[in-house]
Amino acid sequence: MTTSTAALDRPATGARVRVTRSRRPRPFLGLVALAAVAVLAAMPALVGAGITAKLVDGFILLTLASMWNLLAGYAGLVSVGQQTFIGLGSYVVLVLAQWGLQPYLALPLAAVVCAALALPVSWLLFRLRGGYFAIATWVVADAVLLVVSHFPSLGGGTGAILPGIAGIAPLTRLAWTYWSALAVAVAALGVTYLLLRGRLGLVLTAVRDDEIGARSVGARVGWAKRIVFLVAAAGCGAAGGLLILSQLNVQAPSVFSVEWSAKMIFVTIIGGIGTLEGPIVGTIVFVLLQELLAGFGAWYFIALGTVAVVIALWSPRGLWGFVADRVHLRPFPIGYWLWVDDDTGAGAGRAEKGVE
Amino acid sequence: MAAPLLELHGISKRFGQVVVADDLSLDVQPGDALGIVGPNGAGKTSLFGIVSGDLTPDTGQVRLGGNPITHLDAAARSRLGIGRTYQVPRPFEGMTVFENALIAAQQGGATRGRASHQLAADVLADTGILAEANRPAGQLGLLQRKRLELARALATRPRLLLLDEVAGGLTDPEVAQLVAIVQRARASGAAIIWIEHVVRALVAVVDRLVCLAGGRIIGDGVPSVVLANPAVREVFLGTEATAESFAAAGLVAGAGS
């Protein structure tokens, strides 16, 4: 390779470059994803109400884990207070339903309101770093819980029933909730994918690896983090809205519980933090474990803890990290692959530079 | 005469009892190549931190092209044309070599789309690691990491390039390759400030040398004159290795006698 003396302003004359988003073209991946969503969308007609309800829980968990992965796995924002937005999302749906809005139509508004509320919260929290940030997110969640508990119209500390839903037949209602949950989960994954695939994604991946380095190459790290915080608030708000739609009531201590953070962290860690695929794998494993161990009472939690410890020690990048190292499978191509066309002779063969 | 590219006015910085900059003032003209030497703890890397925005000075002002930038963070300064390398290279290990250069081209270099791809590939070609473009940066050895560190700084299209010991830990032929890269960067118009213990690498590029000790400038001028300065030799020549490297560079008359 001849070196160029003109790296700074003029393009090098020796080589034309081409960039693809993965090493090999993968036209079928989009179709596979589409087919998967279509099959999942047909589920209420194919399986019983029990399984449908469990899948709703799974989609909520997948949404939460994807958001936490974006926060902690990419933006370096280790939050243990996302239940702030889960709870707020539930209550936004409740309040809008109390005002007469159809609860399912209130769901997207819950996401929007949570993103809007996340902005002033970020002004407060972004002054803190690391462990202080993490604790402060939890403090915010508990503070919001205390405020919400003081409104009798919201059921105080004891809870409130979701109005405007009694007229719908139970199975129809379950199907609507299911499709809403599927839509939210697909949107969460889709937004995460698009976010990571664009210019901002490169910044977030760099922040994941080295925040100081990212700043030194000109990346507006604070801005990128704020975007992620707002997106995660919207996602967690939508998940909270799904909770009240599936349970038909809301109890403040339950939706604002730190247990939600524990769950999303667990799912992300076992699946693989800092990868798009990790939360999907983690959710599947978590739901299966839950099914297998449902009858064992307290042993369930002991088994979950053991699984988390073993995976954290044995494969710090989670189950997906373990798999991805062995089979070069990237269902979500967000990287950049450089091809160099050598200009040394007319019609010269395309030389691929680099090895994997 | 136009404003200097970089101006430091009365910069002071201390960490507890340790003074890393003591009322320090320095001007760098466009296209200058300035070397900085000094014993460990003299405040060299801290000075880079103050210029690049990683550190905030206690007092004093930093100007770029006549405009105050003291209040700007590292990202904003990178966008204004200050590129820096770190003493210990800090590649984004989970990203490929190309992606490492690409983010610098897009953010600090303010390019988009195909222009950013071309710029990233060009700096990789210029620093001799284009062949590694699709490898994860975490797999690179020391020399390749140093090349990538340089490539990333160049991809931000700097007007002022800060090099922090890019030659440390390398063999002589490797140092020669890096010197060639730095000379090309200089030829393309960037001003350079280079901190280096490998003095022979430094004097191959710079035409001005600043010696720092205790956060103060104790010598500033043509390299051979600065290195012959008694004050500079006093803080420096305590160690045999440095004396030898001066002699090897042919800079200190009579160092071997």
Side-chain angles (χ1 to χ4, degrees):
Chain A
M1 172 54 57
T2 53
T3 50
S4 157
T5 55
L8 295 180
D9 289 312
R10 285 163 288 153
T13 49
R16 269 200 311 275
V17 301
R18 205 160 48 83
V19 171
T20 55
R21 299 312 296 270
S22 62
R23 193 175 181 180
R24 291 174 205 87
R26 301 229 175 76
F28 55 91
L29 273 175
L31 291 176
V32 171
L34 215 61
V37 173
V39 169
L40 285 171
M43 278 297 185
L46 302 174
V47 298
I51 293 179
T52 311
K54 288 201 170 82
L55 285 171
V56 169
D57 291 345
F59 291 142
I60 291 174
L61 202 56
L62 175 57
T63 304
L64 293 175
S66 298
M67 294 301 111
W68 196 78
N69 181 43
L70 207 48
L71 283 170
Y74 284 94
L77 298 167
V78 181
S79 165
V80 288
Q82 287 313 102
Q83 60 273 19
T84 303
F85 302 106
I86 300 174
L88 285 172
S90 289
Y91 277 96
V92 169
V93 170
L94 175 71
V95 169
L96 291 175
Q98 285 174 345
W99 290 350
L101 189 68
Q102 217 290 324
Y104 288 99
L105 297 179
L107 186 58
L109 290 173
V112 172
V113 170
C114 282
L117 290 172
L119 188 61
V121 173
S122 76
W123 292 333
L124 200 69
L125 290 176
F126 279 25
R127 296 164 177 272
L128 304 169
R129 294 260 167 262
Y132 296 98
F133 173 85
I135 296 301
T137 58
W138 191 355
V139 170
V140 168
D142 274 13
V144 176
L145 164 64
L146 288 175
V147 172
V148 169
S149 303
H150 270 84
F151 287 93
S153 65
L154 300 177
T158 53
I161 291 170
L162 179 66
I165 208 140
I168 310 171
L171 276 181
T172 313
R173 197 190 65 223
L174 181 60
W176 284 11
T177 304
Y178 176 86
W179 287 321
S180 305
L182 177 62
V184 167
V186 168
L189 287 176
V191 167
T192 307
Y193 174 55
L194 291 177
L195 213 56
L196 291 178
R197 198 176 152 88
R199 280 165 74 90
L200 187 65
L202 210 50
V203 171
L204 289 172
T205 312
V207 171
R208 175 194 72 182
D209 287 356
D210 179 5
E211 188 173 330
I212 293 172
R215 288 179 196 277
S216 82
V217 296
R220 292 192 183 102
V221 173
W223 183 79
K225 287 185 172 199
R226 188 156 275 127
I227 298 278
V228 165
F229 193 73
L230 299 195
V231 167
C236 292
L242 289 171
L243 275 179
I244 188 172
L245 285 171
S246 72
Q247 292 167 1
L248 308 182
N249 67 68
V250 58
Q251 285 179 315
S254 161
V255 286
F256 285 106
S257 165
V258 75
E259 214 173 286
W260 289 110
S261 281
K263 271 190 186 173
M264 56 182 108
I265 292 170
F266 176 86
V267 167
T268 310
I269 299 284
I270 60 168
I273 189 167
T275 64
L276 248 161
E277 296 84 357
I280 303 173
V281 174
T283 303
I284 294 169
V285 171
F286 184 86
V287 170
L288 289 179
L289 279 177
Q290 214 170 18
E291 283 306 295
L292 286 172
L293 302 170
F296 292 91
W299 283 101
Y300 164 57
F301 291 105
I302 294 169
L304 278 188
T306 310
V307 167
V309 169
V310 168
I311 290 177
L313 290 176
W314 165 70
S315 176
R317 289 169 51 234
L319 289 170
W320 180 256
F322 182 79
V323 173
D325 284 348
R326 278 153 188 80
V327 296
H328 291 278
L329 187 68
R330 299 283 183 281
F332 296 99
I334 56 170
Y336 295 78
W337 193 269
L338 178 71
W339 305 84
V340 177
D341 300 337
D342 256 322
D343 232 16
T344 44
R350 187 176 293 138
E352 182 195 327
K353 300 290 176 184
V355 289
E356 194 170 49
Chain B
M1 197 175 124
L5 178 62
L6 176 75
E7 298 164 80
L8 301 175
H9 286 304
I11 299 284
S12 293
K13 176 77 182 175
R14 55 166 65 228
F15 296 106
Q17 294 299 306
V18 182
V19 179
V20 293
D22 185 4
D23 193 24
L24 199 147
S25 294
L26 184 71
D27 283 0
V28 178
Q29 302 299 330
D32 262 6
L34 168 69
I36 296 183
V37 293
N40 289 328
K44 303 187 295 294
T45 296
S46 298
L47 184 66
F48 268 15
I50 286 164
V51 175
S52 72
D54 288 338
L55 285 179
T56 310
D58 298 334
T59 60
Q61 205 180 42
V62 185
R63 288 168 173 271
L64 187 73
N67 302 310
I69 58 166
T70 323
H71 60 288
L72 296 178
D73 72 354
R77 295 192 199 188
S78 167
R79 286 162 178 270
L80 286 175
I82 298 181
R84 84 166 284 187
T85 70
Y86 289 88
Q87 198 172 345
V88 178
R90 41 196 329 156
F92 306 120
E93 303 210 349
M95 294 160 65
T96 66
V97 168
F98 177 67
E99 287 162 356
N100 267 267
L102 184 61
I103 182 184
Q106 291 186 345
Q107 300 298 320
T111 54
R112 289 181 164 270
R114 298 182 75 145
S116 69
H117 300 160
Q118 187 71 52
L119 175 58
D122 285 349
V123 294
L124 293 182
D126 200 41
T127 50
I129 45 170
L130 187 61
E132 317 290 336
N134 294 318
R135 268 180 79 186
Q139 291 180 2
L140 298 182
L142 178 65
L143 175 63
Q144 306 289 53
R145 278 170 186 253
K146 297 229 169 197
R147 287 172 183 271
L148 177 57
E149 189 76 6
L150 255 171
R152 229 166 54 175
L154 289 172
T156 65
R157 298 196 293 175
R159 285 192 278 163
L160 174 64
L161 182 59
L162 309 175
L163 304 172
D164 197 348
E165 299 208 14
V166 285
L170 300 181
T171 64
D172 284 358
E174 290 169 348
V175 170
Q177 290 171 359
L178 282 175
V179 164
I181 298 167
V182 175
Q183 279 169 332
R184 282 200 297 277
R186 192 191 172 192
S188 74
I192 288 164
I193 308 181
W194 188 356
I195 294 171
E196 192 55 77
H197 279 300
V198 184
V199 176
R200 66 186 179 285
L202 200 54
V203 296
V205 176
V206 304
D207 39 33
R208 179 180 164 200
L209 199 62
V210 165
C211 182
L212 281 184
R216 287 173 162 276
I217 294 174
I218 61 167
D220 182 353
V222 177
S224 58
V225 175
V226 171
L227 291 173
N229 177 336
V232 172
R233 298 189 65 179
E234 194 183 318
V235 300
F236 240 117
L237 298 184
T239 62
E240 273 309 303
T242 317
E244 279 167 17
S245 76
F246 279 21
L251 287 167
V252 183
S257 63

